[in-house]
Amino acid sequence: MMTLLFFAVVLAAVLTCGFFKARVPVWTGVIAAVLLAFTVAGQPGWFSLTLSWLVFLAVAVPMNHRPWRREWLTRPVLKAFAGMVPQISETEQVALEAGTVGFEGELFTGKPRWQRLIKKPLHELTTEEQAFLDGPVEQLCDMIDEWEVSHYRADLPEEVWEHLKKNGFFGMIIPKEYGGLGFSAVAHRAVLEKVAGMSSTLGSVIAVPNSLGPAELLLHYGTKEQKNHYLPRLADGREIPCFGLTSTTAGSDATSISDYGVVCKGEWNGKETLGIRLNFEKRYITLAPVATVVGLAFRLYDPDGLIGETEDIGITLALLPRNTQGMEIGRRHFPLNNPFPNGPIVGTDVFVPLDYLLGGTEFVGQGWRMLVESLSVGRAISLPSSSTGGAKSVALATGAYARIRKQFNMPIGRFEGVEEALARIAGYTYAISALSRQTASAVDDGEKPAVPGAIAKYWATELSREVLKDSMDIHGGKGIILGPKNYLGRGWQGAPIWITVEGANILTRSLMIFGQGAIRCHPYVLKELEALQITDEDERLETFDKLLFAHVGHSFSCAVRSMVLGASSGRFAAVPGDRKTRKYYRKLSRYSAAFAFLADIAMLTYGGKLKQKEKISARLGDALSHIYICSAMLRRFEQEGRPAADQPILAWAFHDAIYRTQNALAGVIDNYPFAWVRPFLRLLVFPTGRSERTPNDRLGHKVAALMLSPSETRDRLTRGIYKSDRTGHPIGVMETLLPKVIAAEPLDRKLLKALRAGQIGGRTYEEQLAQAHEQKILTDQDVELLLDVRKRSLDVVAVDDFDHAELQAGLTPTGDAARAEHREAA
């Protein structure tokens, strides 16, 4: 019995030290104290005590005597580590060095400091920024007829282009000293959210100049002359920018682009000039057909050593005016019926002076680094914000439509199948809204959120596609018949575009989220890789020794915390929150430890081959993503003052995300290459089994109900989108009608009851109302309300039809007449 007690106490001491991530001297002192106490007590016997002391000393002495530890343990590990380190490509190396690490780094520690997150306020709009949203942005949305843009024009009207230029929409990120608006990232997000929720074409036109456009690059790398020339002209719309990155032979691996330039002498303005002769073939370039200045990425060569001693200089950037001789631009791609300007750019033997190099000769060969640093900011804002705006608009419209549209004498939103879809729409919209806001706020904190940007880009576009899919299912035929009355079709058609651009989602999930995060955000891995580069052997060994044993302690601590918190439902984790949210933080602490532990196991097991294990990397990336999204949702909930009415949506979104987290981690274990290790991993990660479940039906019912009626919760969920009830904007019209529909429902039930009781008859709705009025069942006001709601509801559920010639408007002379007829009708 004493032997069992002895080993139980030793095990408890080991687990306690591991749980609190104690250092080696603390471990040594605690275990020694336990052994000494039992030795003094003379229990559990001399053999057990002697054996325990021998094992303890055999481990403790070399671990605490660093010269021995370095020679016997660290040196062999260092040699093995150097052999298993993955070969990092130029593309990956630049990506690793470009970003900063924010709260996502806390998740790799296995012990996130939640108070630091929730006490840091999310950035809010300034008075000037809010006025811009209420003024020029609202006016812009008033000007848009998306059907005319997408079907008849395949472009924005000229007056819209003028409004964009006049009000500085292309210069939101340009400082005021250059004539720009100088807006924050959260204002940038708010503008894109509002306009993209109204029109994906308009959103794309505004997003590109404010993300991966020359303005961002000029601000960081441009010469003084380039900044003074281009930035004021970009800010006021005299120049429309685009950026040519993707080539015909290289998309995601941009460092492999075949576009090239050769440093040489040529004629420029009648004089021999040192410059570059360019050959390039770009495609998928947004704004290219209308651009007046083209940013260009290419590989630069200097075979004659005219600007240095390196022949293959590397990726370089340049700015070319539209009228540059030899450059062909203007033709258009047609991306899935979303006619935002997008097209190819081709150049053959294009000669330009060195002045056209972005940043001058000082930045030749550094183009990929320049792009990645800019892209990490743009990716964190552009697509997440646009996707959030789309999801919010769809959520508002679908909730109203599901209450207005009736089948079997009841709103379709009351059917359980539709409730299920409504709950997903609300939960996903809440999640991506919180995610995009947290990521934009990180940019305003001065971060370059590479990993959160990849998470936001992937999950905002993926979940918004799911929102659209559910909305299309709920709308049925209304959603699939294109026309002015359809507010879903173009968004549904365009969903794959946002999945594809700025890093295809398959690539982002499989390689970028965990691939970058595992090295960049891990507390030790990047430092260990840097230690390998130390030239002095003794210094390298000493540095690696400190990092190695800190890393071992970290891994062991994460394993212990994962098991203990899993077995106790996180009760031993120190977390903030109230009675309802504390359990969420506990779950996140538990899964953060489990994720950090499995991340270390994966890196140890696969080593340099982890890059090729894309499915494992993707699952670990999923776990990291959902923990990060949950943190964003909780932070949002805290910042909004913990509104009790919003708790069902938070709960639904949280349980959905944590269920996905569990499954992602389980997938890593189920596919671990050594089958005999899997039970041990399951014991550490899921000590009580896989207990997470999808949100239950009762919770889904509560969430769906919140979508069907006006409320502060529904307003918060869809805050910031365009809601005008003007003609030509069906979403706003439905939102205005919704309260009347709800007010008419008791009268509809009264009318139905009278019909079933035989009190009234009539073949038409109007006849039934007339008889109900004669029987004093309904008052004059009741009949007036029901007739008005009936008429306007039929307008809502109505769909469009066309003369065949009008459908051919883009191909035949009838186009002008059809456009005129459409304008007159609108």
Side-chain angles (χ1 to χ4, degrees), residues 693-729:
R693 298 290 182 268
T694 55
N696 62 37
D697 294 346
R698 184 179 178 187
L699 180 59
H701 171 75
K702 291 180 180 179
V703 173
L706 289 170
M707 295 282 285
L708 298 174
S709 303
S711 67
E712 291 183 1
T713 294
R714 193 165 175 269
D715 289 342
R716 277 189 291 269
L717 183 68
T718 59
R719 182 170 46 207
I721 64 168
Y722 180 67
K723 299 180 181 180
S724 170
D725 64 352
R726 66 170 173 83
T727 302
H729 186 232

Side-chain angles (χ1 to χ4, degrees), residues 424-458:
R424 283 194 297 267
I425 290 171
Y428 293 158
T429 301
Y430 189 90
I432 62 177
S433 177
L435 174 61
S436 68
R437 186 180 179 192
Q438 175 161 295
T439 312
S441 198
V443 175
D444 281 333
D445 286 332
E447 295 181 24
K448 294 179 179 178
V451 174
I455 292 172
K457 189 273 172 181
Y458 178 84

Side-chain angles (χ1 to χ4, degrees), residues 145 147-149 151-153 484 801-826:
D145 180 336
W147 180 246
E148 180 180 355
V149 168
H151 184 67
Y152 293 120
R153 288 182 175 273
D801 52 74
F802 304 90
D803 183 86
H804 187 218
E806 189 175 358
L807 293 177
Q808 296 177 309
L811 302 175
T812 71
T814 60
D816 290 338
R819 282 192 288 272
E821 182 181 346
H822 170 71
R823 286 180 191 147
E824 184 177 352

